[in-house]
Amino acid sequence: MLTVQVKKSIVIVKDFPGLGERIKKAREGDKRSLTQICKDSGVSRTYWHQIENEATLSPITEDIVRKIEVTLGVDLGVSFD
């Protein structure tokens, strides 16, 4: 018998004031170039600048935050608890 799968997604949006600045400070403390950091995290340079300047048009995903944390070796304090 054939079936159809249904997926339910829950979206939670929360403000994290100063997150862009914390990311920028962590990046500036890294020895790699911005180009290399972006490559390692899978985030484009343009999007990275939007994040640092807190100028994204829509909320960034938790997945992106986690990739940035892993790449920079920091905990940015983003939690939904």
Side-chain angles (χ1 to χ4, degrees), residues 58-73:
S58 60
I60 65 173
T61 64
E62 183 180 13
D63 183 53
I64 293 292
V65 173
R66 301 300 173 225
K67 286 179 181 180
I68 291 171
E69 288 178 325
V70 168
T71 301
L72 296 177

Side-chain angles (χ1 to χ4, degrees), residues 20-38:
E21 184 62 29
R22 290 196 305 275
I23 292 169
K24 183 176 182 176
K25 285 183 180 180
R27 175 184 58 82
E28 290 174 342
D30 196 286
K31 295 179 181 180
R32 294 170 290 174
S33 68
L34 176 58
T35 300
Q36 187 61 50
I37 290 171
C38 289

